[in-house]
Amino acid sequence: MAEKVKVLLTEEEVDAKIQAIGEQISKDYEGKQVHLVCVLKGGSFFMCELAKRITVPVSIDFMSVSSYGSETKSSGVVKIVKDLDEPLLGKDVIVIEDIVDSGRTLSYLMEMLKDRKPASLRLCTLLDKPDRRVVDVNVDYLGFQIPDEFVVGYGLDYDQKYRNLPYIGIVEFE
Ligand code: IMP
Ligand code: MG
């Protein structure tokens, strides 16, 4: 199927927002070290840009989960495909995600990570589609609330394409 991508948030808008979140996190974690947990693959572009703008010491780790979904919907069944390399015990952890949609993936993930006894655990997501929420998720740092549209860019894909777009676009199917 052919598709087109229409700009929703420009590169400048996204960059400015990431700068602001980075400043906020730097303030909130003054005197501490933050441990960023990136949810692959979508969170990777956002995490790298954000990490560069945090002024307190930062460590990073990655995990990959799959939600057994179709291309545009997640099923709620979450499987860990790649686990973290490091324990979370006693760390100030911020989970970095690309988008919270139904909330199923994140609510499962946050519960699982809480069991690993971090000193603190927060969630930072670039995008939020509140209209689609099925399971409640507490977002501590948010980039943008967006309408119920399928978006790509800045790590988000459609059929593994468009992750490299430096802006957020809406996919229009023809
Ligand atoms: P949730 O469990 O429904 O919140 O789904 C979250 C995951 O679905 C995200 O981490 C994305 O990988 C994917 N997803 C949800 N909405 C979009 C979208 O608009 N574009 C690309 N991926 C999306
Ligand atoms: Mg994701």
Side-chain angles (χ1 to χ4, degrees), residues 30-67:
E30 180 108 54
K32 295 180 180 171
Q33 172 169 336
V34 281
H35 188 63
L36 304 182
V37 166
C38 172
V39 185
L40 293 169
K41 302 170 186 164
S44 58
F45 288 73
F46 177 39
M47 188 186 76
C48 292
E49 290 306 313
L50 181 63
K52 290 194 285 185
R53 293 160 168 98
I54 295 174
T55 53
V56 299
V58 170
S59 53
I60 62 173
D61 205 346
F62 298 88
M63 74 187 303
S64 181
V65 298
S66 86
S67 62

Side-chain angles (χ1 to χ4, degrees), residues 100-101 127-134 144-148:
V100 184
D101 186 33
L127 304 174
D128 182 15
K129 282 195 232 177
D131 297 347
R132 304 245 318 156
R133 199 60 40 82
V134 176
F144 304 90
Q145 286 198 345
I146 60 165
D148 182 8

Side-chain angles (χ1 to χ4, degrees), residues 8-168:
L8 175 67
L9 299 162
T10 65
E11 182 171 6
E12 291 71 26
E13 288 173 306
V14 177
D15 285 352
K17 186 65 81 171
I18 294 175
Q19 176 67 33
I21 297 172
E23 285 170 12
Q24 187 62 51
I25 289 174
S26 304
K27 237 184 246 163
D28 294 350
Y29 290 81
E30 180 108 54
K32 295 180 180 171
Q33 172 169 336
V34 281
H35 188 63
L36 304 182
V37 166
C38 172
V39 185
L40 293 169
K41 302 170 186 164
S44 58
F45 288 73
F46 177 39
M47 188 186 76
C48 292
E49 290 306 313
L50 181 63
K52 290 194 285 185
R53 293 160 168 98
I54 295 174
T55 53
V56 299
V58 170
S59 53
I60 62 173
D61 205 346
F62 298 88
M63 74 187 303
S64 181
V65 298
S66 86
S67 62
Y68 296 110
S70 63
E71 283 158 351
T72 55
K73 269 201 185 103
S74 82
S75 65
V77 185
V78 177
K79 186 179 98 175
I80 297 180
V81 177
K82 183 222 171 290
D83 205 343
L84 298 169
D85 292 338
E86 315 274 347
L88 298 183
L89 184 69
K91 292 179 181 156
D92 289 301
V93 175
I94 307 178
V95 174
I96 310 294
E97 251 288 23
D98 49 0
I99 189 164
V100 184
D101 186 33
S102 73
R104 288 187 176 109
T105 311
L106 261 298
S107 72
Y108 175 92
L109 199 65
M110 296 302 279
E111 282 309 311
M112 198 194 68
L113 297 181
K114 210 192 284 174
D115 288 344
R116 300 185 186 187
K117 308 269 185 286
S120 65
L121 180 64
R122 285 184 173 171
L123 173 61
C124 174
T125 181
L126 181 60
L127 304 174
D128 182 15
K129 282 195 232 177
D131 297 347
R132 304 245 318 156
R133 199 60 40 82
V134 176
V135 183
D136 218 30
V137 180
N138 186 46
V139 177
D140 300 287
Y141 300 100
L142 170 66
F144 304 90
Q145 286 198 345
I146 60 165
D148 182 8
E149 303 268 12
F150 196 80
V151 292
V152 292
Y154 238 97
L156 290 140
D157 75 302
Y158 168 65
D159 206 10
Q160 297 304 324
K161 292 181 293 187
Y162 308 117
R163 292 191 196 275
N164 59 315
L165 296 180
Y167 56 88
I168 302 290

